[in-house]
Amino acid sequence: MELNSIKPASGAKHAKRRVGRGIGSGLGKTCGRGHKGQKSRAGGYHKVGFEGGQMPLQRRLPKRGFKSTTLRYNAEITLTDLQRLGAAEVDVLALKAAGLVPELARVVKVIKAGELSLAVTLKGVGATAGAKASIEAAGGSVA
């Protein structure tokens, strides 16, 4: 094969549509646009969803609900959950394995709800100011 012998497969290339070049071309006079009306005119078209002045579907339907995508990846657990878990070292993987946070969770935070008497070390898990104070009072730490 030589560079000068390369050509596209048969049927891959076809002639560009030439409108307004006489009746014999099949696209003369109105150029395939039909007669009169907004669609036949240059620059005369409408936006997506326009229904000719009728109230569009997206405006007729009621607005309902909203689900934040950030909530899917953020999770929180309580001091009571940590107490029940009973592990000395807690990270995100341990919490997922215990079923305390969903599998999709990326950011986990401990909130101050309940009591904690175990010394727990948090690794890669955040904590609120109150929760951090409670964990440190019980002899644990937040890394």
Side-chain angles (χ1 to χ4, degrees), residues 1-119:
M1 182 169 53
E2 301 293 327
L3 283 177
N4 64 350
S5 67
I6 295 173
K7 63 179 193 175
S10 62
K13 301 286 275 180
H14 48 85
K16 190 177 159 201
R17 178 182 293 164
R18 297 186 72 213
V19 296
R21 292 294 182 275
I23 198 167
S25 70
L27 289 167
K29 194 186 168 215
T30 55
C31 306
R33 288 174 176 251
H35 292 278
K36 298 185 185 174
Q38 187 179 18
K39 291 186 191 176
S40 73
R41 314 205 186 277
Y45 217 61
H46 50 72
K47 61 187 175 190
V48 175
F50 184 69
E51 296 183 22
Q54 173 176 297
M55 188 61 68
L57 182 67
Q58 73 270 21
R59 290 190 58 200
R60 290 198 299 267
L61 298 175
K63 296 197 289 186
R64 283 200 60 227
F66 170 78
K67 238 179 204 176
S68 175
T69 53
T70 56
L71 291 176
R72 190 182 311 163
Y73 304 114
N74 296 342
E76 50 187 42
I77 59 167
T78 62
L79 293 173
T80 308
D81 293 334
L82 283 178
Q83 180 75 28
R84 256 190 257 129
L85 188 61
E89 276 196 20
V90 177
D91 61 351
V92 178
L93 291 174
L95 294 170
K96 286 181 183 179
L100 289 171
V101 295
E103 285 296 319
L104 288 174
R106 290 190 191 142
V107 178
V108 181
K109 202 168 200 180
V110 180
I111 59 171
K112 187 183 178 192
E115 294 296 318
L116 180 68
S117 57
L118 292 171

